[in-house]
Amino acid sequence: MTEPAVRRGYAGGVRPLRVARAAVLLGLLAALGLNGLAWMHVRAMTHFVEAGERTARPEELGLVDKARVLLFGVSLPRPRHSHDPGEHGWTYDTHRIPVDDGHVEVWSVPPEGPVRGDVLLFHGYGGARDTMLPVAAHLREQGWATVLVDFRGSGGSSGNTVTLGHREARDVRAVADWARGRNPGRRQVLYGFSMGGAAVLKALADGTNADAAVVEAVYDDLNTTIGHRFHRLGLPAFPGSELLLVWGSVDLGANAFAMRPVDWAAGTDVPLVVIAGAEDPRVWPAEAQAVADAAEAPFTLLEGVGHELGAVAAPEAWAAALAPVLGAR
């Protein structure tokens, strides 16, 4: 009598309970694993390493390399300069500007002739100030003094972290204030590429004083641009993008979901020009258009251009796009 009763109890209740417990445990382990992976990716994306080879763009990776990136994150060596203004025969000065508990380093390059004003140049994610030399070359010929800026974590600036525009907005403000103090009364234009554009828009929305601004290849919403990275790896954006933003908020100490340049643009009251590449896989034309619409700003879409400087890829169309804020010489 006892044995059948045990069998009925085992078959009717014990095994399903064990299965349920195992399923819950596996679910918890999977959740912990996913969150641990997300945290690792956030740290890899925002903390530069001192040496090593930079991970290629997602669209350039093979299947094995994509799997390696998914498991271990990207490798981002600290950006350093490979060129300087002296290679062009330009005179220039190097300055260090205090910001918070660190500093940013800049090159100050005078124009060929009379000075029309200052244009402060802010680079993109994973770059350094030498990437903005092609922009400086054109502006210098047009009579503009340029200040090429290393965000903290890059080039000659302090630190080894990047925040995709959040903290970099304070760097923008520090340089803008420094340039105003150095050249009071001189016209000042802020120019930001990609992450630099996001930092410029946030700085303006936070009250930074400038006469005009240009943003190129700027994302509209951090969640969107991170989602594009998943797409280029052949993966769905949800829920990976959201998980990265959750842990990005922890790492940042601020709400990463609120990192929306489209909202910052709406709070900008200075003349603004928005430029984007029609073939940009990271910032889609509609997203750049949304930023321009939010600011009621002129928008130029450069045909055949990807996520790259228009000054290099389409110099004539790019130069024409600057006219609303820089004018003609």
Side-chain angles (χ1 to χ4, degrees), residues 163-168 198 202 219-224 245 248 252 254-264:
T163 63
L164 303 172
H166 177 77
R167 185 198 62 198
E168 287 77 12
K202 188 175 190 309
Y219 67 87
D220 64 336
D221 184 313
L222 185 58
N223 191 32
T224 303
L245 288 182
L252 189 64
N255 182 10
F257 288 92
M259 291 183 63
R260 289 172 43 85
V262 66
D263 293 339
W264 301 334

Side-chain angles (χ1 to χ4, degrees), residues 146-165:
T146 56
V147 178
L148 293 80
V149 182
D150 275 333
F151 284 123
R152 276 175 290 172
S154 298
S157 296
S158 61
N160 68 341
T161 60
V162 59
T163 63
L164 303 172

Side-chain angles (χ1 to χ4, degrees), residues 79-84 105 107 128-131 150 154-157:
R80 303 188 186 280
H81 311 129
S82 54
H83 304 282
D84 64 59
E105 192 171 272
W107 290 324
R129 63 185 183 235
D130 62 339
T131 60
D150 275 333
S154 298
S157 296

Side-chain angles (χ1 to χ4, degrees), residues 63-236:
L63 287 175
V64 173
D65 290 327
K66 286 182 179 179
R68 186 179 295 114
V69 167
L70 287 172
L71 289 174
F72 302 109
V74 296
S75 174
L76 287 175
R78 194 179 195 280
R80 303 188 186 280
H81 311 129
S82 54
H83 304 282
D84 64 59
E87 296 177 17
H88 297 268
W90 306 341
T91 59
Y92 70 99
D93 297 317
T94 302
H95 302 273
R96 286 188 170 181
I97 302 167
V99 187
D100 299 333
D101 58 350
H103 69 268
V104 295
E105 192 171 272
V106 306
W107 290 324
S108 177
V109 183
E112 292 182 348
V115 181
R116 298 173 62 192
D118 293 329
V119 182
L120 315 183
L121 302 176
F122 301 94
H123 62 79
Y125 174 73
R129 63 185 183 235
D130 62 339
T131 60
M132 302 302 289
L133 284 168
V135 179
H138 170 83
L139 296 174
R140 184 174 177 274
E141 291 177 358
Q142 298 299 311
W144 293 90
T146 56
V147 178
L148 293 80
V149 182
D150 275 333
F151 284 123
R152 276 175 290 172
S154 298
S157 296
S158 61
N160 68 341
T161 60
V162 59
T163 63
L164 303 172
H166 177 77
R167 185 198 62 198
E168 287 77 12
R170 299 203 295 271
D171 299 346
V172 172
R173 182 162 196 159
V175 176
D177 289 347
W178 170 83
R180 285 284 192 201
R182 194 167 180 245
N183 302 302
R186 186 182 287 185
R187 181 170 170 78
Q188 184 183 97
V189 180
L190 309 179
Y191 191 115
F193 176 78
S194 190
M195 180 188 77
V200 164
L201 290 176
K202 188 175 190 309
L204 290 171
D206 289 345
T208 297
N209 185 25
D211 295 295
V214 180
V215 294
E216 182 176 3
V218 64
Y219 67 87
D220 64 336
D221 184 313
L222 185 58
N223 191 32
T224 303
T225 197
I226 290 177
H228 292 334
R229 185 174 184 85
F230 280 90
H231 295 149
R232 296 198 307 276
L233 286 169
L235 298 170

Side-chain angles (χ1 to χ4, degrees), residues 273-320:
V273 161
V274 180
I275 303 172
E279 307 302 324
D280 192 337
R282 302 182 189 180
V283 178
W284 295 357
E287 296 155 15
Q289 179 76 65
V291 172
D293 291 346
E296 299 182 358
F299 175 62
T300 298
L301 192 63
L302 302 177
E303 296 298 329
V305 176
H307 197 74
E308 55 193 321
L309 288 170
V312 175
E316 291 185 7
W318 169 82

